[in-house]
């Protein structure tokens, strides 16, 4: 869309240009009616925004002239006016398609211009604003900005809810194959989030991390039920297939935008070990993404303290001993220290979830 703005106030020209260029509207500018006429003749705009008060020929006269010329009569015109004595009727008489008193809301002007350019315009009457002080136009921009921020926040909330629902659906799909995994995902997510707050609180700002905690085993969707539900020990070949689940999960989710970052790394690296003997990439020490190192402790804690099809839950004390004994071997010592620090809170989570 191409817009011609005719105003002799350079500040206002700049404000309008900045507003419209952000939404990919091409803006031509004229500060006198003579230069406006030249621009219209050279290249007809889709809409003209015209200030009433111009030197020499007024905006009202220019509007009348353009509307009475068959070559330019169909170009929609929005009249802007800061004059207290100009009434909307004067603008209508001059043939304007819309009238906007200054100070105006840039969002309102944008909406008006878009409607007119789309051929949806009819004459628009706009109430004169009560505030006509020097900084009133600035306040209008501030109000518009606040409105945009509110809208953007609401959109972000909706998007987060949609992400949450998608993650929940994927977790449910895995639960349908491997009963009990949903409850495990929920528990382990809570342990891991609590440990994250102690190890690296800033990591909690990355929402993908929480999704990664829930979906860590999603790759098991691609593992056959025969192996997944086998009651006894796995053969070496079956184990090899089972150990492909982090890579499968990573392949499934690698293009999902809301998981990109640390969340996706939890899916791929949650079975890596601090000493480098884990899988799939045998990463070692701090080469293992931090969220995956945190998750590994949470995963073992839940695996040991909850019932499994082939054995009953072990005691909290046994799980604690196992985690301490694996510090510097399976687990990052820093995460084990955080486990120690957060043990009362983790026990509370355990009690609540068990209840
Ligand atoms: Fe896993």
């Amino acid at each position: 869309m191409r817009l011609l703005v005719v105003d002799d106030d350079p500040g206002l020209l700049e404000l309008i240009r900045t507003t419209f260029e952000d939404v990919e509207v091409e803006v031509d500018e004229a500060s006198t009616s003579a230069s406006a006429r030249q621009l219209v003749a050279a290249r007809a705009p889709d809409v003209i925004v015209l200030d009433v008060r111009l030197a020499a020929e007024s905006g009202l006269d220019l509007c009348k002239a353009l509307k009475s010329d068959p070559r330019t009569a169909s170009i929609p015109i929005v009249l802007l006016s800061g004059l207290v004595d100009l009434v909307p009727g004067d603008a209508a008489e001059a043939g304007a398609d819309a009238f906007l008193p200054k100070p105006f809301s840039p969002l309102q002007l944008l909406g008006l211009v878009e409607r007119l350019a789309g051929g949806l315009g009819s004459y628009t009457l706009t109430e004169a604003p009560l505030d006509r002080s020097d900084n009133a136009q600035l306040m209008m921009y501030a109000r518009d900005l606040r409105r945009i921020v509110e809208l953007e926040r609401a959109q972000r909330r909706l998007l987060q809810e949609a992400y949450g629902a998608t993650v929940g659906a994927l977790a449910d799909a895995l639960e349908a194959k491997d009963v009990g995994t949903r409850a495990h995902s929920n528990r382990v997510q809570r342990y891991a989030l609590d440990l994250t707050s102690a190890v690296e609180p800033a990591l909690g700002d990355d929402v993908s991390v929480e999704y990664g905690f829930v979906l860590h085993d999603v790759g098991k969707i691609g593992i056959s039920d025969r192996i997944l539900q086998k009651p006894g020990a796995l053969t070496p070949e079956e184990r090899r297939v089972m150990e492909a689940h982090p890579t499968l999960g990573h392949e499934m989710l690698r293009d999902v935008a809301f998981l990109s970052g640390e969340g996706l790394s939890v899916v791929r690296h949650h079975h890596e070990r601090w000493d480098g003997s884990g899988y799939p990439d045998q990463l070692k020490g701090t080469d293992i993404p931090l969220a995956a190192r945190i998750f590994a402790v949470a995963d073992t804690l839940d695996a040991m303290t909850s019932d499994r099809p082939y054995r009953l839950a072990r005691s909290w004390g046994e799980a604690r001993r196992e985690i301490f004994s694996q510090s510097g071997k399976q687990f990052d010592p820093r995460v084990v220290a955080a486990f120690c620090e957060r043990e009362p809170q983790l026990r509370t989570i355990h009690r609540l979830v068990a209840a």
Side-chain angles (χ1 to χ4, degrees), residues 184 216-220 242 245-246 266-267 270-271 279 295 299:
H184 161 69
H216 63 282
D217 270 344
V218 76
K220 286 185 177 171
M242 184 65 126
H245 78 268
V266 173
V267 177
H270 68 279
H271 286 293
Y279 60 91
F295 183 84
D299 200 19

Side-chain angles (χ1 to χ4, degrees), residues 72-90:
T72 52
S74 64
I75 304 172
I77 296 179
V78 181
L79 269 180
L80 293 179
S81 174
L83 300 174
V84 277
D85 52 351
L86 186 93
V87 291
D90 298 331

Side-chain angles (χ1 to χ4, degrees), residues 155-196:
Q155 289 295 329
R156 209 166 24 175
R157 246 194 329 270
L158 276 178
L159 210 55
Q160 294 288 0
E161 283 168 14
Y163 290 165
T166 307
V167 167
L170 271 172
D172 287 343
L174 179 58
E175 167 76 9
K177 256 181 88 77
D178 191 6
V179 176
T181 52
R182 187 73 159 109
H184 161 69
S185 287
N186 289 343
R187 288 190 303 262
V188 89
Q189 175 203 17
R190 295 178 67 174
Y191 291 139
L193 284 175
D194 193 85
L195 283 170
T196 301

Side-chain angles (χ1 to χ4, degrees), residues 271-325:
H271 286 293
E272 304 284 0
R273 295 171 57 111
W274 182 255
D275 60 12
S277 65
Y279 60 91
D281 299 317
Q282 289 80 48
L283 296 184
K284 199 173 177 179
T286 52
D287 285 346
I288 306 166
L290 180 57
R293 277 182 269 149
I294 292 171
F295 183 84
V297 172
D299 200 19
T300 292
L301 179 63
D302 186 62
M304 290 192 70
T305 57
S306 53
D307 290 337
R308 290 289 153 113
Y310 43 90
R311 60 149 178 80
L312 291 173
R314 291 188 232 162
S315 71
W316 185 273
E318 268 183 276
R320 184 214 285 128
R321 276 193 294 282
E322 172 68 9
I323 289 169
F324 284 174
S325 75

